[in-house]
Amino acid sequence: MTLAPAPSACPKTPRDHGGGLDAAVARWGGARDAWLDLSTGINPVTFPIQKLTAADWACLPDAAAQDRLTQAARTFWNVPASAEVLAAPGASALIAQMPVLASAGRVDIPAPTYNEHAAAFRAHGWQITDQAPSARVLVHPNNPDGRLWSAEDITAPLTIIDESFCDVTPEASMIELAARDGVVVLKSFGKFWGLAGMRLGFAVAQPATIARLRDMIGPWAVSGPALRIGAVALEDHDWAAATRDRLAQDAARLDALIDAPVVGGTSLFRLYDVGDAKSWQDRLATHHVWSRIFPYSSRWVRLGLPGTSAQWDHLERALAAPRSDTHA
């Protein structure tokens, strides 16, 4: 018997994200490793990965490894005693489950913002609106403009606070609100620690909510290598402090290079009003620098940070090149 695809499984236009370097290489040429990809907000100087054991790969993750990661997360983020922490294979895996925490209704997702939240809620039959919502999603700091929210913005029975980029500004975290009924705080590991390929994220909420999410994602959701690397990284508070300082310096350096107003961002990515975003992206791409533009703005370009001296030099050469080099 052949089953008909569900409506949500029908082919759709791919959602807008950073990355897509292969397509840029196909259009503008050059070797992939000769490109500078600034289209994402991922820390380009990654946390140093320690040696893994054979058991990390060969054995199903045991309780001790999971407990160590959870405790490291509790300490690093100052999780309230009455809230629990759940590790998952990336924040995206948790975002996809958020709509199931309540009956489908109306959800307010202030735009522009990270588009996977709206996609997840729509897939579960929710209506995206700011009129009398029963759920609200706050990306804090917001992507791409860096907007910060506050406790006064928690105005719906179910509120998702996505703090994927908040590790650069821990003083702004609303983690204490995870103790409230109906509040879920999401954390991403890949961005601040620069290990997006490891796929590790966290949900922090009241025990009953975490128990539901744990059932949804199933056992052994986080790999043995991710458990070990994540725990060691979260325990290294000195590395985190030094990284925040470096990112702040590099963000200021980037602002000084770009001849356009800064309209927002964080120290992991900067948002500029360049007037003609597509022209800017094309101009940089001819010199093998990939940037991020948005379907809802013809003026905004978002840039991540170079990570090495050679990459900074690459960007400076691209910015200094004559505009006449740009081609469609």
Side-chain angles (χ1 to χ4, degrees):
M1 180 177 66
T2 302
L3 298 178
S8 61
C10 295
K12 295 181 180 179
T13 302
R15 293 192 282 274
D16 174 61
H17 290 292
L21 188 58
D22 286 340
V25 172
R27 179 176 177 184
W28 281 280
R32 195 180 195 280
D33 60 5
W35 276 71
L36 174 57
D37 186 2
L38 302 182
S39 68
T40 71
I42 297 169
N43 183 356
V45 182
T46 64
F47 181 82
I49 297 176
Q50 70 281 2
K51 185 177 180 180
L52 296 169
T53 69
D56 291 330
W57 295 103
C59 301
L60 285 173
D62 208 344
Q66 297 178 57
D67 290 346
R68 179 185 176 187
L69 176 64
T70 299
Q71 185 54 53
R74 295 193 72 93
T75 302
F76 188 86
W77 286 311
N78 296 311
V79 172
S82 60
E84 289 194 3
V85 177
L86 175 66
S92 293
L94 292 165
I95 287 171
Q97 300 294 341
M98 293 298 101
V100 186
L101 293 177
S103 299
R106 298 178 177 184
V107 57
D108 178 24
I109 307 176
T113 195
Y114 183 57
N115 58 38
E116 288 298 327
H117 290 285
F121 275 90
R122 286 195 183 99
H124 288 278
W126 288 73
Q127 178 187 359
I128 313 298
T129 177
D130 60 0
Q131 301 299 307
S134 56
R136 197 170 200 214
V137 177
L138 304 174
V139 180
H140 173 77
N142 190 44
N143 177 12
D145 60 12
R147 177 178 179 177
L148 294 173
W149 301 90
S150 70
E152 287 68 33
D153 297 306
I154 311 301
T155 56
L158 172 63
T159 300
I160 313 304
I161 305 173
D162 182 347
E163 292 197 346
S164 290
F165 288 102
C166 205
D167 290 309
V168 296
T169 54
E171 68 281 359
S173 175
M174 294 195 283
I175 192 69
E176 72 279 1
L177 301 181
R180 289 190 186 182
D181 185 31
V183 173
V184 181
V185 177
L186 301 179
K187 294 284 190 178
S188 170
F189 180 84
K191 296 175 177 64
F192 180 70
W193 285 271
L195 297 171
M198 202 171 78
R199 308 312 306 140
L200 181 61
F202 299 84
V204 185
Q206 287 191 341
T209 301
I210 293 300
R212 288 190 63 191
L213 289 172
R214 185 177 288 111
D215 287 343
M216 291 177 193
I217 68 173
W220 312 298
V222 178
S223 70
L227 290 172
R228 180 180 295 276
I229 294 168
V232 171
L234 285 164
E235 290 166 351
D236 194 340
H237 296 202
D238 290 341
W239 183 91
T243 295
R244 292 187 189 104
D245 290 342
R246 178 186 55 77
L247 289 171
Q249 294 169 11
D250 286 352
R253 179 179 178 181
L254 185 62
D255 289 347
L257 285 177
I258 305 300
D259 184 20
V262 181
V263 293
T266 70
S267 59
L268 281 168
F269 60 84
R270 310 298 289 159
L271 186 67
Y272 303 99
D273 183 346
V274 299
D276 186 341
K278 187 64 172 66
S279 175
W280 256 73
Q281 185 179 61
D282 288 354
R283 174 190 167 203
L284 291 175
T286 61
H287 301 284
H288 299 165
V289 176
W290 193 227
S291 58
R292 177 80 186 276
I293 62 176
F294 302 91
Y296 49 77
S297 173
S298 63
R299 304 181 63 92
W300 288 358
V301 167
R302 197 191 75 178
L303 296 175
L305 302 175
T308 66
S309 295
Q311 290 176 343
W312 281 102
D313 290 344
H314 185 164
L315 177 59
E316 290 190 35
R317 289 193 301 270
L319 292 170
R323 291 180 182 271
S324 58
D325 284 358
T326 302
H327 63 271

